[in-house]
Amino acid sequence: MLFPTPVGVAESLIQMERDGRLWTGLGRSMLRLGKGYALSIVLGVPLGIWVARVPFLERAVKPVVLGLQALPSVCWLPLAILWFGLTEASILFVVVMGSLLAIAIATEDAVRRIEPLLLREAGTLGVRGLRLYAGVLLPGALPGILTGLKLGWSFAWRALMAAELIVVSGGLGQLLHYGRELLDVAQVVAVMFSIVAVGVTVDRVLFRAIETRVWRRWGLSETR
Amino acid sequence: MLFPTPVGVAESLIQMERDGRLWTGLGRSMLRLGKGYALSIVLGVPLGIWVARVPFLERAVKPVVLGLQALPSVCWLPLAILWFGLTEASILFVVVMGSLLAIAIATEDAVRRIEPLLLREAGTLGVRGLRLYAGVLLPGALPGILTGLKLGWSFAWRALMAAELIVVSGGLGQLLHYGRELLDVAQVVAVMFSIVAVGVTVDRVLFRAIETRVWRRWGLSETR
Amino acid sequence: MATLLPTRLWARLVPRWTLEPSRSKPGEAKIAVREVEHRYENKVEALRNISLDVHSGEFVCLLGPSGCGKSTLLLALAGALPPTCGRITIDGKPVKGPDPSRLLMFQDPALFPWMTVRQNLVFALRSKVRSRPRREETAARYVKRVHLDGFEGALPHQLSGGMRMRASLARALSMDPSVLLMDEPFGALDAQTKGQMQQLLQQVWVETRKTVVFVTHDVREALVLGDRVVVMAARPGRILKDFEVRLPRPRDPDDEAIVQYSRQIREALRSAEAPKGHAKDASAVPASGLSAGAAHPVGTGG
Amino acid sequence: MATLLPTRLWARLVPRWTLEPSRSKPGEAKIAVREVEHRYENKVEALRNISLDVHSGEFVCLLGPSGCGKSTLLLALAGALPPTCGRITIDGKPVKGPDPSRLLMFQDPALFPWMTVRQNLVFALRSKVRSRPRREETAARYVKRVHLDGFEGALPHQLSGGMRMRASLARALSMDPSVLLMDEPFGALDAQTKGQMQQLLQQVWVETRKTVVFVTHDVREALVLGDRVVVMAARPGRILKDFEVRLPRPRDPDDEAIVQYSRQIREALRSAEAPKGHAKDASAVPASGLSAGAAHPVGTGG
Amino acid sequence: HRNASSTAPLRLGYLPNITHAQALVGANEGTFQRHLGAVPLTLVRFNAGPEAMEALVAGSLDACYVGPSPATIAYVRSHGMVRVIAGAASGGAVLVVRSATQPSDLRGKKLASPQVGNTQDVALRHWLKAQGVEATVLPIANADTLSLFQRGQIEGAWVPEPWGARLVREAGGRVLVDERDLWPGAQFPTTVLVASEAGLRRRRSELLSVVRAHLELTRRWTDAPAAFQTAANDAFQKVTGRRLSDPVLRDAFSRLSPTAELMLPRMLEQAARAVDLGYLPRANLDGLVDPSLLEEVQAPKS
Ligand SMILES: Nc1ncnc2c1ncn2[C@@H]1O[C@H](COP(=O)(O)OP(=O)(O)OP(=O)(O)O)[C@@H](O)[C@H]1O
Ligand SMILES: Nc1ncnc2c1ncn2[C@@H]1O[C@H](COP(=O)(O)OP(=O)(O)OP(=O)(O)O)[C@@H](O)[C@H]1O
Ligand SMILES: [Mg+2]
Ligand SMILES: [Mg+2]
């Protein structure tokens, strides 16, 4: 078996940092993730709110969403490739399918959990239409939506890595793949470390910070 | 673009059912999943309990576990292939890495949440050693462990599908891959349906049933 | 003449006071309730044959034991619940659906937790006041009116229960509704805070002279706040008595007159419950301070 | 002679009873507490100079206001907390760490929620009784002793609070500890259940004659249950009085003698608090039924 | 880009294999671009035929060098969205094994083919079936095949050149089957040039230029094989970063011959095999080949 030495891994990391492969790969992956994730949020949050508010959508859309959520998002890849070829669009599609549903489900749940008193109050105060959605439903559901965003992020990240390993076209996944092809176990482990670093940073630093702020502002106990 | 027709998908499904590809693939996938998942439970639950009970392990092991959890499990595949080749072992390894950590983390959390009163009571009653682990810690943490097992299952399932798509060697992932390679969009969608069916069955039927039983026995409210 | 003398002194001079039934007033009523009945799906007859006139600028308290339909009537006035029978008009127009001109307030202040006190007011005002500076100015004015100045920037969860209730009151008042409907707004406050809120509400009402319908099951609260006290009874929910409270403001719950009045009202309530024998489902209703058998009536402002 | 007559009659014959201080008994004490002091890390002097002898088969009640160190002393006896100073021996051996021979019971029954009543007993007995049939038999016996027969198969969450407490008591008794330490075990029960539990405990104790140290701040409870009532005071935690209760069992909390005794104890407690002026941090301690100023002493068994 | 067809680049795909020698050389030396003139050209490399066909069907490619099996599968699955417009190469596929000396030695062994449904995969599975040998066929990328073969994890592989030659030279394999021996006249299509149906409709003139370039390259190969081999190796090095050693190069080209002929009957035979293997439904292949471009270009200029 090929085992990596700590020195080898460090050297490989430095090497990839020096010749820019690490940053190119990282940039490419993060760009894809950013696009796909942003799209998921833009589609998923309104979808979740609508499903929660429109009884017809709940009956028609929710079972589909729940069913598709049971599908590992990487399973969308073959279909995406048939549709879009081995292109950026296929990867994006998989990333979106990975996180969109989780975000929509969490949002729907969060909207349903909004204190009914607040909704009634909004009604008596004459808050309707866009103001109701943007001023009451969205902020009211925000703590729950954040949980969904976190979950969605982790799914999107997983989907991206799987897709990049299969559709080898730039990104950290490709670096990983090439490491394997070249039997370069040090590079494989070095890239894995980079992936862990990204994951931990986003999860512990970015999301933790946002969550803490929201929970404090919303006056929720921080026991989680 | 290639679009599947409902009739085409149904025909493909019937075809695969008839010639046994569906059952062989399903059987192969479930066998792998079963092995990997069982291994994850056998390793993850004790690991979680130990980490929760031994301060040294908490300091030494927990950060590693939390960090690795941020690594999409499919990223283990290149390393696994370098170690075990394109074999069953590689797939199993990825499945285990996918669910082991989630199970261990949930178990640790669940053990920490055990009512301290019960632990003190166990202490005064002279319950120690194996009896403490098997008779108090494990059942006391069981509801939380179940949540972890569910999460672990979903990670294992996702990891398996990704691995089967990359290492094409039997299983539903292979059927999906072949569907794509042969540009057979009906087969791709038919296999996706089968995957959804498995996911929904295990999640909604199997886990729901176990959870309901445990929650009822443990006298916990079923508001989740 | 009575109102010229200080209440306490008057009470001493005339030892036995009795409340008088309300007399119908001239002019068209602001709120007119005509033969309203309401049955819930589960066949509970929450209201039977309710008719009530509330005139502009009146402060009417609905008083009654638990389950007598006070909340049901208030929801009907607010348009949140269409009664199964009868007609409700406000300013001559039939009530259909909720409307910001008829604000409903509950025990729970229902402030938006992610907005500061000021933002809560400003947000509500958005549908009423177009210009932003005027909104800010209005909000500041009403925050001051409920003595919350200095807490404009506080989030609801940083305030005490009483302060939250005051913020909610400020928000309701700032919307300048023509009718204010309040359902036991002080029911969840401790005795001291409750007393302060009653004083504040009196003061604000004297300044603004809104039409208020105020639900309570605290007899003294009703007497301290109301121009009229409408006493209701349960099973079926109906109006028992309609008293006029002619006492000068500000009133004190410990005034001799109020103490005597409350005795009279409690007797009325008791007599309504005692003789009728059909309290079959009495055990299903939580024991109330107003029920005949209770040793210590709760309805004494504490 | 007194004990030959029924208590009630005796109380009527001799209108004024007084409790007498405990006399030291011959023989070696089962539990010997010698000049024990305890300070928590935050410098609170929870116990100062405590010396106490408990003889085998005695039922000693520790009584005192909140914060007087009752729980601290009990934890020290259980070995769950090593006191900063002094010595505690049980059967002559110094107490070191918890041991199933000294069982500690709390308000919370601490039953394992996933086990039935029977399984809870059997599980605890596993470390004591080797043979499985004997375990089952012992468990059944103790379940019966606390009148829970028929509920062996019930899960804790299917039982009422009193029944849970009885199951917990059965489990403790089945372990046959040489000392039973109970920290306000009935503090969370409603008045009626509490009374039943006191009767049950009396009955069980008469049958088994365990050495019991029982903490409470309910004066009547202490008098109904204890052979001795050790009265403690707070700041610093210390023993004030050590009374002997010579009344026949079963005792009733409404016995004239107990009512009189409780008055006497309450006076003792009051005199301990009143003259001393250093109640600076009194407000930090939750008001207790035993504190001098309370209008209605809570310590009347309900 | 529909109306701006003059400026939209023509997208041509190929695989970096020696079997795609015309594409390698043409791409490297700008032959295609020269024939296209002002029309920009985008060259896209794929790892395997099915991928390229996916791109063609998804509309991100206009023409492509590919094996006949993927082309046929794409034609059937997409209901006529691709057409074969010219032949490119014949031969150049071998089964290389580690130790087997006869087909029956492969029973139960693991064999690799480049990808499910590609030309070599169909050939291998058909051959195995015809020989009555049951073996496991794993679709493995050619690069992985080499390393797995070296490590002994697979017994053999049916691969296109130069992989066959590399397995022999670099991994010590033996050629068990040269596919040319299985076809009459040692001729069978290995590489063809396909175009998308949409491309044929909208960009016929540019595709004609591509065919012209293709024919020029084919002629060069036929006329001066040695020089063309070197040119191909230069291109191969540019694409993969690695130069084939001379023996490997010679070996690889020795089994490969250039041809622009369409060989429709052979392609139909290959399609029949794919149907037999369950890769394809039985379908009408009448429109698979579109010889019109070839005819137009080859027609004697008038
Ligand atoms: N949504 C409902 N569905 C069915 N019955 C209801 C509903 N709301 C109230 N009721 C019943 O209608 C009757 C009147 O209820 P209502 O809430 O108006 O009483 P209330 O006077 O406000 O009582 P409380 O003082 O307890 O608030 C009660 O018997 C109650 O049980
Ligand atoms: N873990 C601790 N750390 C610091 N101080 C403590 C701790 N536990 C108790 N104390 C303090 O020690 C004193 C005695 O506490 P203890 O719990 O023994 O009183 P208690 O008589 O049992 O009171 P209660 O009737 O309220 O249970 C109190 O002043 C209390 O605040
Ligand atoms: Mg109400
Ligand atoms: Mg205590």
Side-chain angles (χ1 to χ4, degrees), chain C residues 10-46:
Chain C
W10 184 255
R12 218 165 284 147
L13 290 176
V14 183
R16 180 109 189 118
W17 265 85
T18 47
L19 279 166
E20 277 169 44
S22 299
R23 280 161 299 185
S24 62
K25 296 206 182 67
E28 211 190 329
K30 173 112 187 145
I31 308 177
V33 180
R34 291 282 167 275
E35 282 151 20
V36 161
E37 310 215 349
H38 190 75
R39 256 177 210 282
Y40 283 104
E41 282 94 76
N42 58 359
K43 300 279 175 315
V44 171
E45 198 173 358

XYZ file of all heavy atoms in Angstrom, chain C residues 10-46:
310
model
N -66.554 61.015 48.772
C -67.917 60.712 48.369
C -68.344 59.347 48.905
O -69.413 59.179 49.458
C -67.983 60.726 46.836
C -69.365 60.523 46.321
C -69.887 59.418 45.764
C -70.419 61.488 46.366
N -71.192 59.601 45.429
C -71.551 60.877 45.804
C -70.515 62.818 46.846
C -72.772 61.531 45.692
C -71.727 63.460 46.714
C -72.851 62.823 46.144
N -67.434 58.398 48.745
C -67.744 57.058 49.208
C -68.031 57.060 50.701
O -68.881 56.316 51.197
C -66.585 56.115 48.897
N -67.311 57.876 51.432
C -67.530 57.918 52.868
C -68.884 58.572 53.199
O -69.579 58.162 54.111
C -66.380 58.681 53.534
C -65.983 58.066 54.845
C -64.647 58.580 55.310
N -63.539 57.980 54.560
C -62.423 58.635 54.299
N -62.233 59.881 54.685
N -61.468 58.020 53.627
N -69.206 59.584 52.417
C -70.464 60.296 52.676
C -71.664 59.420 52.341
O -72.638 59.375 53.069
C -70.538 61.576 51.828
C -69.575 62.677 52.245
C -69.668 63.845 51.287
C -69.878 63.140 53.670
N -71.596 58.751 51.203
C -72.721 57.910 50.784
C -72.275 56.463 50.879
O -71.627 55.945 49.973
C -73.156 58.240 49.351
C -74.358 57.409 48.953
C -73.437 59.709 49.221
N -72.495 55.827 51.987
C -71.868 54.531 52.237
C -72.299 53.433 51.249
O -71.534 52.532 50.977
C -72.283 54.182 53.646
C -73.490 55.020 53.926
C -73.403 56.243 53.067
N -73.496 53.461 50.709
C -73.902 52.346 49.831
C -74.157 52.856 48.424
O -75.129 53.547 48.140
C -75.174 51.683 50.398
C -75.659 50.539 49.552
C -75.441 49.191 50.227
N -75.750 48.147 49.249
C -74.858 47.274 48.818
N -73.650 47.288 49.295
N -75.201 46.373 47.931
N -73.225 52.488 47.515
C -73.325 52.848 46.116
C -73.920 51.686 45.331
O -73.650 50.555 45.617
C -71.923 53.092 45.540
C -71.538 54.510 45.571
C -70.986 55.177 46.590
C -71.685 55.421 44.512
N -70.766 56.475 46.272
C -71.199 56.649 44.963
C -72.201 55.344 43.213
C -71.211 57.794 44.182
C -72.191 56.478 42.430
C -71.695 57.694 42.925
N -74.701 51.989 44.304
C -75.103 50.911 43.397
C -74.851 51.355 41.965
O -75.060 52.506 41.612
C -76.608 50.565 43.538
O -77.350 51.772 43.540
C -76.881 49.766 44.776
N -74.414 50.394 41.154
C -74.200 50.662 39.741
C -75.541 50.794 39.046
O -76.503 50.111 39.422
C -73.450 49.493 39.093
C -71.952 49.459 39.272
C -71.425 48.090 38.883
C -71.300 50.528 38.424
N -75.592 51.627 38.054
C -76.844 51.750 37.321
C -76.698 51.151 35.929
O -75.629 51.201 35.334
C -77.235 53.222 37.208
C -77.960 53.694 38.461
C -78.112 55.195 38.496
O -78.465 55.756 37.439
O -77.843 55.776 39.553
N -77.782 50.603 35.387
C -77.726 50.070 34.035
C -77.447 51.186 33.033
O -77.823 52.338 33.254
C -79.115 49.487 33.789
C -79.854 49.614 35.072
C -79.097 50.485 36.007
N -76.758 50.838 31.938
C -76.461 51.843 30.919
C -77.748 52.321 30.278
O -78.691 51.550 30.077
C -75.583 51.232 29.823
O -74.378 50.810 30.382
N -77.778 53.626 29.998
C -78.924 54.147 29.266
C -78.530 54.280 27.808
O -77.381 54.601 27.499
C -79.296 55.522 29.829
C -80.119 55.396 31.109
C -80.083 56.667 31.887
N -78.709 57.003 32.277
C -78.408 58.046 33.056
N -79.360 58.849 33.497
N -77.162 58.281 33.383
N -79.492 54.026 26.931
C -79.173 54.156 25.513
C -78.893 55.611 25.205
O -79.556 56.512 25.704
C -80.322 53.632 24.653
O -81.479 54.406 24.908
N -77.856 55.816 24.377
C -77.432 57.176 24.090
C -78.017 57.638 22.765
O -78.355 56.824 21.912
C -75.904 57.230 24.021
C -75.247 56.893 25.351
C -73.888 57.531 25.461
C -73.247 57.143 26.770
N -72.922 55.683 26.826
N -78.100 58.951 22.581
C -78.593 59.454 21.305
C -77.530 59.310 20.215
O -76.364 59.053 20.521
C -78.870 60.934 21.583
C -77.920 61.280 22.685
C -77.725 60.051 23.501
N -77.920 59.474 19.005
C -76.965 59.396 17.881
C -76.710 57.962 17.459
O -77.061 57.017 18.179
N -76.087 57.822 16.297
C -75.834 56.470 15.811
C -74.642 55.877 16.541
O -73.667 56.585 16.829
C -75.566 56.505 14.300
C -76.027 55.212 13.607
C -75.538 55.149 12.183
O -75.398 56.231 11.571
O -75.287 54.045 11.694
N -74.724 54.576 16.817
C -73.630 53.905 17.525
C -72.447 53.705 16.586
O -72.625 53.489 15.392
C -74.110 52.557 18.038
N -71.246 53.787 17.167
C -70.022 53.500 16.383
C -70.003 52.016 16.009
O -69.797 51.648 14.861
C -68.808 53.852 17.252
C -67.486 53.454 16.666
C -66.670 54.649 16.276
C -65.416 54.239 15.539
N -65.076 55.209 14.502
N -70.164 51.197 17.059
C -70.225 49.752 16.824
C -71.632 49.301 17.154
O -72.120 49.568 18.259
C -69.238 48.991 17.732
C -67.831 49.581 17.614
C -69.248 47.504 17.430
C -66.823 48.928 18.538
N -72.289 48.617 16.212
C -73.629 48.118 16.485
C -73.646 46.613 16.274
O -73.365 46.125 15.187
C -74.639 48.802 15.555
N -73.960 45.905 17.359
C -74.053 44.445 17.296
C -75.531 44.096 17.403
O -76.186 44.514 18.350
C -73.263 43.792 18.452
C -73.360 42.280 18.382
C -71.810 44.251 18.428
N -76.054 43.372 16.430
C -77.496 43.095 16.397
C -77.765 41.601 16.357
O -77.481 40.928 15.378
C -78.137 43.740 15.152
C -78.193 45.249 15.143
C -79.317 45.795 16.028
N -79.129 47.232 16.216
C -78.350 47.785 17.146
N -77.711 47.018 17.999
N -78.212 49.078 17.233
N -78.339 41.106 17.438
C -78.788 39.698 17.509
C -77.751 38.713 16.950
O -78.063 37.865 16.107
C -80.129 39.548 16.771
C -81.274 40.053 17.612
C -82.424 40.582 16.775
O -82.473 40.211 15.597
O -83.233 41.368 17.289
N -76.553 38.867 17.448
C -75.481 37.998 16.955
C -75.480 36.678 17.711
O -75.659 36.644 18.925
C -74.118 38.716 17.082
C -72.970 37.708 17.032
C -73.967 39.739 15.982
N -75.324 35.615 16.972
C -75.188 34.283 17.568
C -73.972 33.624 16.946
O -73.662 33.865 15.779
C -76.407 33.417 17.257
C -77.713 34.088 17.552
C -78.755 33.103 18.062
O -78.510 31.882 17.987
O -79.778 33.579 18.539
N -73.291 32.784 17.722
C -72.196 32.026 17.118
C -72.118 30.628 17.698
O -72.145 30.429 18.906
C -70.852 32.723 17.292
C -69.780 32.065 16.481
N -69.674 32.213 15.128
C -68.791 31.205 16.828
C -68.680 31.496 14.673
N -68.124 30.862 15.694
N -72.035 29.693 16.809
C -71.832 28.291 17.182
C -70.552 27.818 16.523
O -70.386 27.991 15.317
C -72.967 27.433 16.610
C -73.993 27.003 17.595
C -75.083 26.226 16.877
N -76.348 26.393 17.560
C -76.649 25.727 18.694
N -75.799 24.870 19.203
N -77.809 25.950 19.288
N -69.674 27.207 17.305
C -68.479 26.610 16.700
C -68.854 25.282 16.069
O -69.940 24.757 16.324
C -67.384 26.417 17.758
C -66.680 27.705 18.109
C -66.960 28.366 19.293
C -65.741 28.247 17.256
C -66.317 29.549 19.620
C -65.095 29.423 17.571
C -65.380 30.066 18.748
O -64.739 31.222 19.057
N -67.934 24.760 15.285
C -68.229 23.491 14.597
C -68.621 22.400 15.587
O -69.389 21.527 15.276
C -67.001 23.006 13.804
C -66.795 23.735 12.501
C -65.832 24.883 12.690
O -64.632 24.626 12.778
O -66.294 26.055 12.780
N -68.025 22.464 16.763
C -68.314 21.408 17.732
C -69.617 21.664 18.482
O -69.849 21.114 19.546
C -67.141 21.261 18.708
C -66.863 22.560 19.436
O -67.526 23.577 19.201
N -65.908 22.534 20.332
N -70.453 22.505 17.960
C -71.807 22.751 18.470
C -71.846 23.592 19.754
O -72.920 23.824 20.316
C -72.582 21.430 18.720
C -72.767 20.565 17.469
C -73.930 21.085 16.671
C -74.126 20.355 15.347
N -72.917 20.121 14.551
N -70.692 24.050 20.240
C -70.719 24.917 21.417
C -71.389 26.236 21.033
O -71.017 26.868 20.047
C -69.289 25.200 21.926
C -69.312 26.271 22.999
C -68.645 23.940 22.445
N -72.383 26.607 21.821
C -73.076 27.855 21.518
C -72.324 28.978 22.236
O -72.587 29.296 23.385
C -74.527 27.766 21.993
C -75.415 28.811 21.338
C -76.882 28.610 21.696
O -77.187 27.648 22.418
O -77.708 29.443 21.275
N -71.348 29.549 21.546
C -70.462 30.515 22.191
C -71.170 31.845 22.436
O -70.892 32.539 23.415
C -69.220 30.731 21.336
